[in-house]
Amino acid sequence: EYMGNPSWRMSRPLWVRPTCFAKMALHAAKFPHLSVLGVVLAPNPPAGGSVDLVDYYPLMHGTDLDLACMLDVALTQAEAAAAKRTLQIVGCFTANARAGDAELGLTARALVAKIATLSSFACALLLLNDQLAKLPRSELLFRAWTCSRTGAVSPLDIVIEDPAATQLRTFDAITKREFQTFFDFGDHLEEISRDWTNEWEWR
C-alpha cells in the first residue's frame, strides 16, 4: 500500500525510502526475464515500531540464485559493507522470473530465515513484476512479509516515502536505462571493477 504521509510511520513497520525503492526496481528492470535477489538495509532497527529501509544491495540474478556458496559469500560481503556505514541487513528483496508469480521462492525464504538469526527484525519484499511496466502509476508494486528464524512468514504492510515522486523518478531512470551501470555482486565477480554496492543516494 502506498502512503505518503509521515504520520503513518509509527503505525506501520516498513518505511521504504526512495533510494531503496529505486535500486530494487532497477535491479529487477535490468534482468526482466530472470529472478533477482538482494538485501535491504536499515539503521539499527528497533525490535518494534517502524523500520526505515534506506538502501539496497543487489546480490545476484538468474541461475546464480541456485549457488548456495556464492550466496553465503555475497551475504558476508554485504554485511561488512553495511557495517562500514553503520547500517545492518534486515531483510531480502526478490523478483521472480515469471510474470504474475507473487510467491517467495525457496532461495529468498532461506535467505530471509538466515537474516532473521542475525537481526531482531527480518522482512522479505517481492516485486510484482507485472506491475513494473505500470510505473509511474502502479498501485501495488511490492508484497512484503515479516519472517521468523524458522522461516515462517506473515503479511506486512509497507509505506513508500513520497510515493508519486518516487515512482516518477524511478520510471524516468528505467526509461533512460540507468540500470546499465547498476551492478550486482554477480556482475562484480565477472568484472571486479564493477561497484556492486551502488552507494549513491537520491535526495
Side-chain angles (χ1 to χ4, degrees), residues 4-161:
N5 188 342
S7 66
W8 282 75
R9 288 189 61 186
M10 297 313 296
S11 61
R12 301 292 177 112
L14 279 188
W15 182 263
V16 182
R17 300 290 184 175
T19 297
C20 184
F21 179 102
K23 291 180 182 180
M24 291 188 292
L26 285 171
H27 197 196
K30 183 172 183 176
F31 304 104
H33 304 299
L34 298 175
S35 297
V36 300
L37 186 68
V39 291
V40 290
L41 312 177
N44 300 316
S50 65
V51 174
D52 281 350
L53 302 185
V54 298
D55 211 343
Y56 169 70
Y57 284 160
L59 299 186
M60 51 189 63
H61 61 274
T63 56
D64 288 347
L65 271 67
D66 299 325
L67 303 176
C69 58
M70 180 175 171
L71 180 56
D72 286 341
V73 172
L75 183 59
T76 299
Q77 293 294 314
E79 284 183 282
K84 290 179 180 178
R85 303 170 58 201
T86 321
L87 298 174
Q88 63 176 303
I89 296 170
V90 295
C92 76
F93 161 77
T94 190
N96 294 321
R98 290 182 299 157
D101 186 349
E103 299 299 325
L104 280 181
L106 293 178
T107 303
R109 284 178 176 268
L111 176 59
V112 75
K114 185 169 186 175
I115 292 169
T117 68
L118 306 172
S119 173
S120 61
F121 175 88
C123 64
L125 290 91
L126 171 73
L127 182 139
L128 303 175
N129 47 19
D130 57 343
Q131 293 292 313
L132 193 59
K134 297 182 180 180
L135 285 175
R137 295 182 177 84
S138 176
E139 294 182 1
L140 180 63
L141 192 60
F142 301 101
R143 292 184 68 190
W145 299 265
T146 55
C147 305
S148 71
R149 297 179 181 183
T150 64
V153 298
S154 301
L156 180 67
D157 286 330
I158 64 175
V159 180
I160 310 300
E161 181 185 5

